[in-house]
């Protein structure tokens, strides 16, 4: 390519790569469970519904996974209106036009209170956020009806602690939100790290009867089956990255570099995704168009990954399993 064209191509290629979400088997099972519960809640009788909780260690990819699924669900609900540059709208009743916003994402704060949580949702839709808590709750009910809210995702749910009074009030409010959503066929999804000791969500007896839990884990590499699962994940990443690496050969990640990638990331999805994306970008910038050991070693990763990698130095990296790994396209 002429240099100007090549520069523009690399810029656009890098932007696309940074936005990729790599699939993995356990993650696919988790989003399938979310979809099943959401579907059952939509068509089941009105009232309080089952709540989905997706848990995993920090930087294990849970929020990215759920956000990716929620983006697709939003597009499904919006339909052809997604093609318009204007916000999709609908008429909840004669003479009233409202934005159609069926999916809401809330990042729970470390000091969240019942008022704060309600205000976050109201502010997102442009509703007044002043007034008494009962008034705010009534406005929230109007939000769900007026904007056809079908899914509210609450991230960092582990910040609700057993020993905090405000946390208990927030959890009780979330139960009410679940009931309000349930009247409209909507669903509530929690995302966060599971804390069996202090996590309020996972120690509440009333919630336990409605909670559908899916626990995600990092990739281990202690047994042949675990190594095979790791290679399967890397094979899926290859399927997405190799079209942008014309000098690379199949098996580059799943076989050749699998031990090195695991040693650098210890099987954490977040660190692994960053490592592979950055190495792929570097391979274009230096003109090699394939990922080398030098590319993988040169990338900066999280403090957790770097510290753990230093502790692993001298330990033999897990060897690739000698069998073919197949992943459906």
């Amino acid at each position: 390519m002429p240099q100007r064209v090549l520069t523009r191509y690399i810029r656009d290629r890098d932007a696309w790569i940074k936005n990729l979400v790599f699939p993995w088997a356990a993650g696919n099972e988790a989003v399938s469970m979310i979809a099943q519960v959401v579907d059952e809640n939509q068509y089941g009788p009105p009232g309080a519904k089952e709540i989905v909780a997706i848990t995993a260690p920090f930087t294990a990819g849970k929020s990215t996974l759920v956000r990716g699924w929620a983006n697709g669900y939003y597009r499904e609900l919006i339909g052809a209106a997604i093609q318009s540059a204007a916000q999709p709208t609908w008429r909840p009743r004669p003479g009233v036009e409202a934005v159609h916003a069926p999916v809401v994402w809330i990042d729970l704060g470390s000091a969240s209170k019942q008022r704060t949580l309600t205000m976050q949702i109201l502010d997102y839709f442009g509703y007044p956020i002043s007034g008494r808590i009962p008034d705010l709750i009534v406005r929230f009910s109007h939000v769900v009806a007026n904007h056809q809210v079908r899914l509210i995702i609450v991230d960092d749910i582990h910040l609700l602690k057993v020993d905090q009074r405000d946390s208990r009030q927030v959890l009780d409010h979330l139960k009410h939100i679940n009931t309000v959503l349930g009247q409209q066929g909507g669903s509530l999804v929690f995302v966060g790290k599971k804390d069996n000791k202090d996590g309020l969500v996972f120690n509440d007896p009333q919630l336990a009867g409605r909670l559908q839990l899916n626990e995600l884990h990092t990739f281990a590499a202690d047994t042949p089956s675990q190594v095979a699962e790791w290679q399967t994940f890397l094979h899926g990443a290859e399927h997405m990255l190799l079209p942008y690496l014309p000098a690379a050969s199949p098996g580059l990640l799943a076989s050749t570099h699998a031990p090195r990638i695991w040693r650098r990331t210890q099987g954490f999805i977040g660190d692994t995704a960053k490592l592979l994306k950055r190495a792929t970008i570097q391979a274009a910038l230096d003109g090699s168009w394939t990922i080398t050991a030098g590319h993988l070693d040169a990338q900066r990763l999280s403090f957790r990954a770097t510290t753990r990698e230093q502790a692993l130095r001298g330990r033999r990296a897990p060897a690739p399993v000698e069998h073919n790994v197949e992943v459906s396209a």
Side-chain angles (χ1 to χ4, degrees):
M1 294 181 183
Q3 187 58 46
R4 284 184 60 188
V5 177
L6 179 61
T7 300
R8 186 167 59 249
Y9 165 74
I10 291 177
R11 182 195 62 203
D12 294 342
R13 165 192 181 274
D14 293 353
W16 174 257
I17 288 172
K18 289 173 183 176
N19 195 48
L20 291 177
V21 177
F22 300 128
W24 80 101
N28 293 340
E29 291 175 5
V31 296
S32 294
M33 189 194 81
I34 298 176
Q36 180 182 5
V37 173
V38 167
D39 186 65
E40 291 173 350
N41 287 348
Q42 179 179 353
Y43 296 107
K49 305 287 188 176
E50 289 191 326
I51 300 171
V52 181
I54 304 298
T55 72
F58 296 124
T59 71
K62 56 188 177 298
S63 296
T64 301
L65 176 78
V66 176
R67 189 180 293 274
W69 174 83
N71 285 340
Y73 183 62
Y74 172 82
R75 289 173 171 270
E76 176 185 326
L77 293 177
I78 293 298
I82 197 70
Q83 304 297 331
S84 173
Q87 285 186 306
T89 60
W90 78 299
R91 294 185 179 275
R93 51 193 173 275
V96 176
E97 185 176 53
V99 173
H100 185 197
V103 178
V104 177
W105 184 286
I106 297 295
D107 292 307
L108 205 60
S110 60
S112 287
K113 298 182 179 181
Q114 181 180 3
R115 173 183 291 275
T116 308
L117 178 65
T118 309
M119 288 169 59
Q120 278 184 274
I121 300 175
L122 294 177
D123 185 59
Y124 175 82
F125 286 95
Y127 283 63
I129 58 176
S130 60
R132 300 181 305 119
I133 289 181
D135 296 332
L136 298 181
I137 293 175
V138 170
R139 286 177 204 157
F140 166 76
S141 299
H142 294 328
V143 164
V144 172
N146 288 342
H147 302 280
Q148 288 190 306
V149 177
R150 293 295 177 267
L151 180 68
I152 295 181
I153 302 168
V154 183
D155 200 4
D156 293 330
I157 199 68
H158 54 271
L159 294 177
L160 297 181
K161 300 297 185 182
V162 170
D163 59 351
Q164 296 175 355
R165 177 186 173 187
D166 288 337
S167 291
R168 292 189 176 276
Q169 292 178 346
V170 170
L171 185 63
D172 288 340
H173 187 43
L174 287 171
K175 294 175 187 177
H176 173 71
I177 288 176
N178 183 47
T179 300
V180 173
L181 281 173
Q183 299 294 343
Q184 305 288 335
S187 297
L188 190 60
V189 175
F190 294 154
V191 183
K193 182 179 180 293
K194 184 180 179 184
D195 191 335
N196 292 321
K197 181 181 179 182
D198 299 323
L200 182 57
V201 166
F202 309 106
N203 288 279
D204 183 85
Q206 181 183 359
L207 199 61
R210 298 195 182 278
L211 201 64
Q212 293 290 323
L213 179 64
N214 189 294
E215 296 186 68
L216 298 173
H217 302 280
T218 58
F219 285 99
D222 298 318
T223 66
S225 62
Q226 290 173 342
V227 173
E229 289 177 1
W230 172 240
Q231 288 179 268
T232 299
F233 165 69
L234 293 178
H235 186 86
E238 278 186 24
H239 182 76
M240 303 181 75
L241 292 176
L242 258 59
Y244 304 99
L245 295 167
S249 302
L252 177 70
L253 302 180
S255 295
T256 304
H257 293 315
R260 185 180 300 273
I261 297 169
W262 188 90
R263 187 175 59 239
R264 291 231 59 202
T265 66
Q266 304 91 51
F268 279 74
I269 296 290
D271 286 307
T272 303
K274 288 188 178 99
L275 177 63
L276 297 181
K277 291 177 182 180
R278 290 172 180 172
T280 302
I281 290 171
Q282 188 62 40
L285 294 176
D286 66 16
S288 61
W289 297 102
T290 187
I291 294 177
T292 66
H295 291 142
L296 296 171
D297 290 341
Q299 307 309 317
R300 295 193 311 272
L301 294 178
S302 68
F303 176 74
R304 182 213 60 78
T306 303
T307 303
R308 183 60 181 152
E309 181 187 9
Q310 292 172 350
L312 289 172
R313 288 192 180 279
R315 171 183 166 183
R316 185 177 180 181
V321 176
E322 295 183 359
H323 70 274
N324 293 328
V325 180
E326 296 183 359
V327 175
S328 58

